[in-house]
Amino acid sequence: MPKRNMNRIIVCVVLLLALLCLCACAFAEGEQSLRFESDEITVAVKKAVKVSPAVENVEKPKALKYTWASGDEQIATVQNGTVKGIAPGETTVTCSTELPEGKQLSASLKVRVVEPVKTLKIETKANTRVNVGETLAIEHTIQPENATEKSLTWESSDPAVATVDNTGAVTAVSPGKVTISAATNDGSKKQAKVSLYIPSLRCETAEITVDKPEGATFTLKYYGDDWDNNVTVKADGNFYEYSAERDGNKVNFWVSAGSAGKGKLTIKDKKDPQATVTVPVTATESGIALGSLVTIQDVKIKNEGQEYTVRNNGLQPVVNIWIIYIPRDKEGNIQFRGEASAAGAGHERVFSNIKKRIGPGKTIKEDFNTFGTDYPNATQLDCAVLSVELADGTYISFPENALRWFSSSEKKYINSPEGRNVNSYPGDEIYEKLESVELGAELSTSLKSWQKEYFGYHHLGYLVMSVEEDSIAAKAGLQPTDLIVTVNGLDYEENEYAMTFGMAEMVDTGKMTLTVERYGEEGTFEVELTQEK
């Protein structure tokens, strides 16, 4: 292609491009408009905001005159570009103008009128307690009530002590003090805050009443660092004792009383004195009976023996304990030894000499391996503590009317008329007199009420097991299975040692008068035993 033609082509392309540029500029200059920088504004009630429209591609825009209008003047008004909020709601503000050549331009702006928060107040009292693990909703008020935007931003000064969610619910995490803050989200910049206290000690028990033989218990929760060194427990009142066993954050307290009274337990954390817990203590009963130091907490029969738990409610270690029990079968019938005599004498089992001392507030489990041999059909027991021996040599016994029995079938303590009146035990001087008395009759220790119905007797007393020929008892007419009810007018039910006292009198008088119930016969009759002096 000749060079001349190539130049012509290049010139044509350049001219064409220039023409296109001129056309584009002319088109752009013709794109005249009126617009706002934002499509929406927010105005508070009784507040004003100045807005100005932007004019594009118009010569001498400052010479233009503008016309303003509000779609709802009850919500917002507009004058010369000043928008004023009247009442909460939404409306549209319009701005329009006319160009010199007569062209109309206009722009619209959405206006949102809000009622701002004027006051934010936290009602929750300062230093309110919140226990670890608990949640507290912070009470607060916002004025006015018709504020458009009531949402708040919440913040905790120490999330390791307590956290707060977007509703103002505070959850305590660990002991300490924390400040919870709230701020408005509507632009009013209102703020409020409150301090909270998370204690190291927590106890839901308001008071303790010791009215059961096994004592009473309550649980304390501790969230501090060092229970052994920082926490002190003070017992007000010497009529009761306590023990505390820590299990993680839980501290289990056991309280037992030696006598009736009122006092209190005070638990204090040296590192957190405000966390002090006070638990009033009221005691109405002591142990199994007045002066008792031991209770049986749990009893159950095994194939080869009796398993039970004993707790020491006293202030000194227990060295020996004597437990008396009545065996029963699954129907509740009283059981006796398989080799019972013809008269059917029942037996109680008394266990003593524990394997190790029971310290104050401590428990010990023991087992009878011979129980099943004597009572093969027994499945349950009624048990009571007969007496105890303390480490200092003190020996404590319980009278018959003071014994409390634990029923393994009912799983609770029951009152029973049975027991042994050890307080009326005859002295050595009486037993010295008995050496010369030979009645010639073998008597059972006594007949208990739980045997009475079984054998068909109407009274309680001493059961005659056997009578020797030509003896004082035989000459007086006593027979095996006779039941001696009274001795010299002293009723067995008043004193189970009536026979012993009567025999002692017989040494001096040579006579002893018995009231006897004969098995199978109603009523009683008198028998006089005479001993030649």
Side-chain angles (χ1 to χ4, degrees):
M1 180 181 289
K3 185 176 181 182
R4 180 181 299 177
N5 292 339
M6 179 61 70
N7 291 336
R8 288 177 180 177
I9 293 172
I10 293 172
V11 170
C12 291
V13 171
V14 171
L15 291 175
L16 180 61
L17 290 173
L19 181 63
L20 289 174
C21 289
L22 290 173
C23 291
C25 291
F27 179 79
E29 290 178 355
E31 190 72 18
Q32 299 170 317
S33 66
L34 188 67
R35 65 179 180 82
F36 290 103
E37 293 182 359
S38 175
D39 294 333
E40 179 180 344
I41 63 170
T42 298
V43 183
V45 173
K46 297 183 180 181
K47 298 292 182 180
V49 175
K50 182 71 174 178
V51 295
S52 297
V55 183
E56 296 180 346
N57 301 321
V58 175
E59 295 183 0
K60 300 179 180 180
K62 293 182 178 180
L64 295 177
K65 294 183 178 179
Y66 299 98
T67 301
W68 295 85
S70 170
D72 188 343
E73 292 191 345
Q74 292 185 348
I75 294 177
T77 61
V78 61
Q79 185 175 5
N80 297 327
T82 299
V83 180
K84 183 178 181 180
I86 304 299
E90 292 183 356
T91 188
T92 301
V93 168
T94 304
C95 176
S96 60
T97 188
E98 183 177 352
L99 300 178
E101 62 271 26
K103 184 177 180 180
Q104 298 288 330
L105 298 178
S106 66
S108 296
L109 178 67
K110 184 178 180 181
V111 177
R112 180 171 177 262
V113 181
V114 298
E115 184 69 61
V117 175
K118 294 180 179 179
T119 60
L120 168 61
K121 183 179 180 181
I122 290 182
E123 304 291 345
T124 300
K125 292 183 178 180
N127 296 318
T128 293
R129 288 193 175 201
V130 187
N131 292 314
V132 172
E134 290 184 348
T135 297
L136 173 70
I138 301 296
E139 296 180 1
H140 60 280
T141 55
I142 293 176
Q143 294 294 336
E145 292 185 359
N146 66 337
T148 303
E149 177 60 70
K150 292 184 178 181
S151 67
L152 302 173
T153 297
W154 294 89
E155 185 178 358
S156 168
S157 64
D158 191 348
V161 175
T163 60
V164 61
D165 64 14
N166 57 7
T167 67
V170 177
T171 300
V173 178
S174 63
K177 290 187 177 182
V178 66
T179 299
I180 303 299
S181 303
T184 57
N185 292 327
D186 68 342
S188 61
K189 298 182 180 180
K190 303 299 181 182
Q191 295 181 339
K193 60 184 178 179
V194 64
S195 59
L196 302 177
Y197 166 59
I198 293 84
S200 62
L201 294 172
R202 174 186 177 184
C203 184
E204 297 178 355
T205 301
E207 60 182 344
I208 279 288
T209 301
V210 185
D211 57 359
K212 298 179 291 186
E214 58 268 34
T217 61
F218 70 91
T219 299
L220 178 84
K221 291 189 176 180
Y222 175 65
Y223 301 100
D225 297 327
D226 193 343
W227 168 271
D228 295 326
N229 295 319
N230 293 339
V231 179
T232 60
V233 183
K234 180 182 177 182
D236 178 13
N238 58 6
F239 65 94
Y240 72 98
E241 63 173 339
Y242 73 91
S243 64
E245 183 177 345
R246 189 178 179 189
D247 179 15
N249 285 333
K250 292 196 306 180
V251 182
N252 300 313
F253 276 80
W254 168 76
V255 182
S256 177
S259 60
K262 290 188 176 182
K264 61 184 178 181
L265 275 172
T266 303
I267 303 107
K268 181 181 293 186
D269 185 356
K270 297 176 184 178
K271 298 290 185 180
D272 187 8
Q274 285 183 267
T276 299
V277 170
T278 301
V279 180
V281 177
T282 301
T284 60
E285 182 177 339
S286 168
I288 300 174
L290 190 62
S292 169
L293 299 181
V294 180
T295 62
I296 299 177
Q297 286 193 309
D298 185 31
V299 177
K300 57 184 178 181
I301 305 303
K302 300 199 310 181
N303 236 356
E304 291 296 324
Q306 171 205 0
E307 182 182 276
Y308 63 91
T309 303
V310 179
R311 166 172 265 162
N312 179 5
N313 290 357
L315 300 176
Q316 293 188 39
V318 173
V319 177
N320 286 303
I321 175 173
W322 287 263
I323 300 172
I324 186 171
Y325 60 77
I326 302 172
R328 299 179 186 272
D329 62 17
K330 62 181 179 180
E331 282 78 26
N333 298 317
I334 297 169
Q335 294 294 292
F336 302 94
R337 282 192 179 186
E339 298 299 326
S341 67
H347 285 265
E348 301 151 332
R349 175 63 63 82
V350 178
F351 171 62
S352 64
N353 194 20
I354 59 178
K355 296 177 181 177
K356 61 181 180 179
R357 293 182 175 185
I358 310 177
K362 301 300 182 180
T363 61
I364 187 172
K365 290 186 178 181
E366 292 289 343
D367 181 81
F368 276 102
N369 291 323
T370 60
F371 179 79
T373 302
D374 291 336
Y375 306 101
N377 296 321
T379 59
Q380 52 187 300
L381 303 173
D382 292 340
C383 302
V385 172
L386 181 66
S387 57
V388 293
E389 181 182 357
L390 305 182
D392 65 357
T394 303
Y395 181 83
I396 301 176
S397 300
F398 308 109
E400 176 179 326
N401 59 4
L403 281 179
R404 291 288 300 276
W405 297 74
F406 181 90
S407 171
S408 61
S409 58
E410 298 183 46
K411 301 299 182 185
K412 66 179 183 179
Y413 284 88
I414 58 176
N415 288 318
S416 172
E418 297 311 317
R420 296 186 179 181
N421 194 341
V422 296
N423 286 358
S424 60
Y425 193 83
D428 292 339
E429 70 280 358
I430 293 182
Y431 279 104
E432 291 177 359
K433 291 184 178 182
L434 303 183
E435 294 181 359
S436 61
V437 179
E438 296 181 1
L439 297 179
E442 179 186 356
L443 306 179
S444 71
T445 305
S446 58
L447 181 77
K448 302 294 185 184
S449 60
W450 49 268
Q451 297 168 309
K452 182 179 69 172
E453 296 180 5
Y454 190 88
F455 297 122
Y457 289 101
H458 299 88
H459 301 84
L460 299 178
Y462 304 97
L463 195 64
V464 179
M465 308 296 291
S466 63
V467 178
E468 298 177 6
E469 293 184 13
D470 296 327
S471 64
I472 295 175
K475 292 177 181 179
L478 280 179
Q479 299 177 10
T481 72
D482 279 349
L483 183 68
I484 300 172
V485 178
T486 67
V487 182
N488 291 345
L490 181 60
D491 197 314
Y492 161 79
E493 293 189 27
E494 296 179 3
N495 192 311
E496 67 172 279
Y497 294 98
M499 193 69 189
T500 301
F501 290 120
M503 292 170 64
E505 291 181 23
M506 188 177 183
V507 174
D508 298 325
T509 64
K511 294 182 180 180
M512 181 168 56
T513 302
L514 311 176
T515 301
V516 176
E517 176 185 350
R518 184 152 291 166
Y519 179 66
E521 297 181 8
E522 294 185 1
T524 58
F525 58 93
E526 288 191 355
V527 174
E528 185 177 277
L529 280 68
T530 303
Q531 179 184 33
E532 294 182 2
K533 296 185 66 178

